[in-house]
Amino acid sequence: NFLGFWTYNSGWGERVRIAKDGNVGIGTTSPAQLLHVHKASGDAAAKISCSGHARLILATTGTTDHASVDFGDSGGDVRGRILYLNNEV
């Protein structure tokens, strides 16, 4: 019903799953979209970069109600940001 990829890091764990409907999950065993990336804590859940070129990082800003898309250079400097702040919390 699915294809899973497991690695060992202080115990075996499923890291990537391709569900029977074709959805791919990284960090989740129940991907809800075509590509579903989940990270429970820490920095960016996804990063797209190329050496010497601009990068795109999708990340939370430290709380579950704030998120950002950062645009930067290969040196690690953020050159632009789209930021969502949920101030109703």
Side-chain angles (χ1 to χ4, degrees):
N1 289 336
F2 68 90
L3 175 62
F5 295 89
W6 294 63
T7 62
Y8 188 87
N9 183 15
S10 302
W12 286 99
E14 186 177 335
R15 309 298 181 218
V16 177
R17 176 177 286 207
I18 302 173
K20 64 182 178 180
D21 61 3
N23 289 350
V24 176
I26 300 173
T28 179
T29 57
S30 55
Q33 288 83 29
L34 185 58
L35 177 60
H36 184 163
V37 179
H38 174 76
K39 187 171 181 190
S41 63
D43 292 330
K47 179 177 181 178
I48 301 170
S49 66
C50 182
S51 180
H53 299 284
R55 67 173 200 259
L56 169 65
I57 299 174
L58 307 175
T60 62
T61 58
T63 71
T64 58
D65 295 318
H66 301 171
S68 69
V69 177
D70 295 343
F71 301 88
D73 59 26
S74 62
D77 295 325
V78 174
R79 300 295 184 185
R81 173 176 283 163
I82 300 171
L83 182 62
Y84 166 76
L85 299 174
N86 182 354
N87 293 323
E88 295 180 23
V89 179

